[in-house]
Amino acid sequence: MKPARTRVAPSPTGHMHLATARVALYDYLLAKKTGGQFILRIEDTDTQRTVPGAEQELMDGLRWLGLEYDEGPDIGGPRGPYRQTERRDIYHAHAKILVDKGHAYPCFCTPERLEKVRQEQMKRKENPHYDGMCRILDPDDAARRVAGGEKNIIRFKMPKDGQTVAHDHLRGEIITQNEQLNDYVLMKSDGLPTYHLAAMVDDHDMGITHVLRGAEWLSTFPLHVNIVRAFGWEEPAWVHLSLFLKPSGKGKLSKRDGAIAMKDGYSVFIKDFGQLGFTPEGVNNWIALMGWGVAEDDVLTLDQMIERFNVDSLTASPSAINFQKLDHFNGTHIRLLTNEDLSARIKPYFSEAGLHVDDETLYKVTPLIRERLVTLDDCLSFASFFFKENVEIDPAELIVKGLDAKQSAEILRKSYEILSGLDELTHATGEPPMRVYVEESGFTAGQVFGLMRTAITGQKVSPPLFESMEVIGRKTVLERLKNAVEILGKF
Ligand code: GLU
């Protein structure tokens, strides 16, 4: 396959959404697979909706995911500029070409008139559309009015007869009767182009071979192919990706679903995933399978995805967001990380929680918790106690179920005695004498070790007890046992 040039072309109008990440991922994979280029283009011609900081968030989001683009607004490239508001002259020149060729025309209708037409059409139960008033103006007259400074916009002159046959790579031929098509606006009154003109011009100008975009663009797809054909350009391969559905599978994913997800520790915005403890590897893997026909459970790194990627195996059927799968992929990728890498990734969560973490201890702790982590921030609930001077213990937790305070204190006192008798406290030296004690005492292993765990770690669930004690160290273990006995003494 010849090198593909792909682009992700988000509008900086809000937070970077999963859907943008998915387009970017497939774009990236296709470009890398074929030895081509992946481009970031910022579509900021709807200046009213532009949100400060959104462009930076998009760039940061792509980098966080590891989807490095080859050309883009901040790094430049041979076909720039890559921000549409910096390409005004290009769009003007192209709008003029279409007008000169008779494929577009200036429209002088006022917003008031257009509103009136719309109201009347609605009364007649027609779909709102431009009524074509300026379509039939004499082109020379229209040109004179434009030259005289009369306010105007440019509309595309849609063919009125016959049909438009557009080809989507995943969906095949999409046939539309031209009489149903509207004369869409190409240039707005603010002198900026609409998406319809700008994207077509840029995709051509930037040599884009495959346009991957959301299924929401299917409705204006016939317009887009007509524009490209009016210029006489070769069409890119059009790939309209599947829609995202709500987690329930019922209905399109909405803004509200994002808020609901957040309550459960998930999100639909890329910026949140890191904070929530997700890894780029996990997120990419999860996204990859929402619209790509690889096996449901395939655990893939970016490199493995590049190897396996094929644009023909993308699917058009909608996919429901499934956050449990995200958990699954995240946990799986965490377990694929080296000890060093995982340690470096969990360290910031401890630091943010105000804990001082020394690397030596951290490298010993990481292997003890890696099997249990679903998200990186789970490290806090499993392993904070390793880095705390003192653990906080709820006194009631120290009374073993079925026993009283005296018996519980006895267990702790005896454990103290046994462990303090050891020169060195390791997993290997600590466990055998404690097991002997369990046998002889008549208490169960669950009672003895459960209580020791509470006393030493301050929690009911922890990494394996004796391995943890080895990391914590003899001195601290003994201090904590003693402390627990003292607490029990107050009962
Ligand atoms: N700016 C468009 C959007 O954000 C891009 C669509 C496309 O990829 O062509 O939806």
Side-chain angles (χ1 to χ4, degrees):
M1 199 174 160
K2 79 182 214 292
R5 278 179 66 81
T6 59
R7 89 305 189 268
V8 62
S11 301
T13 53
H15 294 307
M16 180 178 178
H17 194 274
L18 272 183
T20 307
R22 186 182 59 168
V23 171
L25 174 63
Y26 295 159
D27 278 334
Y28 173 87
L29 296 177
L30 179 57
K32 296 297 144 190
K33 173 93 196 179
T34 57
Q37 293 84 34
F38 164 53
I39 295 158
L40 170 64
R41 181 173 76 223
I42 298 292
E43 301 207 327
D44 57 350
T45 60
D46 193 348
T47 50
Q48 302 249 319
R49 293 182 58 219
T50 296
V51 171
E55 179 181 316
Q56 190 59 46
E57 190 182 312
L58 286 159
M59 300 193 290
D60 293 346
L62 291 172
R63 294 207 168 99
W64 182 78
L65 288 165
L67 307 176
E68 293 285 339
Y69 40 91
D70 302 296
E71 300 166 30
D74 56 337
I75 53 172
R79 307 280 189 105
Y82 296 92
R83 205 177 273 118
Q84 288 186 328
T85 46
E86 292 167 18
R87 300 171 61 82
R88 290 168 202 249
D89 295 348
I90 300 172
Y91 308 125
H92 275 282
H94 281 84
K96 186 168 180 321
I97 293 172
L98 289 183
V99 173
D100 290 348
K101 284 174 112 181
H103 288 298
Y105 59 91
C107 170
F108 304 96
C109 294
T110 60
E112 293 75 31
R113 173 175 189 275
L114 294 174
E115 181 52 29
K116 212 170 131 231
V117 170
R118 203 177 72 88
Q119 296 287 350
E120 282 162 9
Q121 289 170 341
M122 301 235 302
K123 248 189 247 154
R124 293 197 299 269
K125 304 228 173 336
E126 291 173 21
N127 280 336
H129 60 278
Y130 182 58
D131 66 350
M133 162 120 147
C134 296
R135 182 179 168 120
I136 49 174
L137 292 178
D138 174 67
D140 293 333
D141 276 349
R144 264 191 295 278
R145 286 169 70 176
V146 172
E150 194 173 335
K151 216 169 164 196
N152 68 93
I153 58 174
I154 306 286
R155 286 183 186 275
F156 189 63
K157 199 186 247 176
M158 274 287 193
K160 283 284 166 230
D161 306 318
Q163 54 189 26
T164 295
V165 181
H167 189 271
D168 175 86
H169 198 76
L170 307 179
R171 299 157 202 261
E173 280 186 354
I174 296 174
I175 300 173
T176 315
Q177 300 306 319
N178 287 342
E179 62 193 4
Q180 291 170 3
L181 299 174
N182 195 1
D183 281 1
Y184 279 92
V185 177
L186 299 180
M187 293 293 286
K188 300 177 287 175
S189 54
D190 62 2
L192 281 164
T194 56
Y195 166 79
H196 311 305
L197 178 69
M200 298 313 115
V201 168
D202 289 347
D203 287 340
H204 172 74
D205 206 47
M206 296 179 181
I208 302 303
T209 57
H210 296 72
V211 169
L212 274 63
R213 59 182 188 176
E216 65 271 23
W217 293 107
L218 277 168
S219 62
T220 41
F221 184 27
L223 164 69
H224 301 145
V225 299
N226 274 300
I227 294 174
V228 173
R229 290 170 193 171
F231 279 114
W233 294 332
E234 197 183 317
E235 285 177 54
W238 304 95
V239 189
H240 292 93
L241 301 175
S242 57
L243 278 179
F244 282 117
L245 301 180
K246 290 178 190 302
S248 64
K250 289 183 196 124
K252 223 183 123 187
L253 192 71
S254 72
K255 279 219 170 103
R256 238 174 65 83
D257 295 317
I260 296 170
M262 206 64 195
K263 281 203 206 107
D264 294 334
Y266 301 107
S267 180
V268 295
F269 298 126
I270 298 303
K271 71 171 176 68
D272 295 328
F273 284 102
Q275 277 263 316
L276 294 170
F278 293 102
T279 59
E281 290 88 343
V283 174
N284 277 328
N285 205 150
W286 178 54
I287 293 177
L289 301 196
M290 291 192 267
W292 177 16
V294 292
E296 277 273 296
D297 231 23
D298 270 342
V299 174
L300 300 167
T301 62
L302 266 187
D303 284 341
Q304 289 164 332
M305 287 185 213
I306 294 172
E307 215 163 276
R308 307 227 338 226
F309 191 74
N310 178 348
V311 71
D312 299 338
S313 57
L314 295 179
T315 58
S317 46
S319 58
I321 298 274
N322 181 337
F323 290 113
Q324 281 67 45
K325 277 197 184 155
L326 172 60
D327 281 343
H328 163 72
F329 284 119
N330 203 61
T332 309
H333 278 282
I334 283 177
R335 281 180 273 292
L336 292 174
L337 300 176
T338 61
N339 194 33
E340 208 174 14
D341 191 353
L342 180 54
S343 297
R345 295 202 208 193
I346 57 179
K347 193 172 176 180
Y349 295 91
F350 290 117
S351 310
E352 256 173 55
L355 296 168
H356 174 74
V357 171
D358 66 289
D359 288 338
E360 207 190 317
T361 310
L362 182 60
Y363 289 158
K364 289 186 206 155
V365 167
T366 301
L368 300 183
I369 60 170
R370 64 183 305 139
E371 290 304 318
R372 296 162 178 251
L373 299 179
V374 173
T375 51
L376 293 170
D377 60 336
D378 285 345
C379 67
L380 287 175
S381 56
F382 290 126
S384 289
F385 67 88
F386 284 108
F387 306 105
K388 285 183 179 162
E389 285 284 309
N390 299 303
V391 291
E392 277 162 37
I393 301 172
D394 175 359
E397 301 278 321
L398 287 172
I399 300 176
V400 182
K401 223 171 157 197
L403 306 181
D404 60 19
K406 221 171 123 229
Q407 290 167 303
S408 301
E410 183 196 325
I411 292 176
L412 289 174
R413 221 176 284 117
K414 191 71 192 166
S415 307
Y416 180 93
E417 199 184 301
I418 295 168
L419 298 181
S420 62
L422 302 170
D423 291 338
E424 208 193 353
L425 176 55
T426 64
H427 179 190
T429 62
E431 188 165 358
M434 285 308 301
R435 292 236 172 243
V436 172
Y437 167 60
V438 169
E439 289 278 306
E440 291 171 352
S441 67
F443 296 119
T444 67
Q447 288 172 328
V448 174
F449 297 147
L451 179 55
M452 286 174 77
R453 185 188 306 279
T454 308
I456 294 166
T457 70
Q459 43 197 62
K460 281 220 158 3
V461 185
S462 82
L465 180 63
F466 288 95
E467 271 118 314
S468 298
M469 294 205 295
E470 182 172 332
V471 176
I472 294 169
R474 183 174 178 277
K475 187 166 157 278
T476 307
V477 167
L478 293 176
E479 271 168 20
R480 290 184 184 174
L481 288 172
K482 202 163 155 207
N483 177 41
V485 173
E486 275 164 19
I487 294 174
L488 277 173
K490 294 192 187 116
F491 274 87

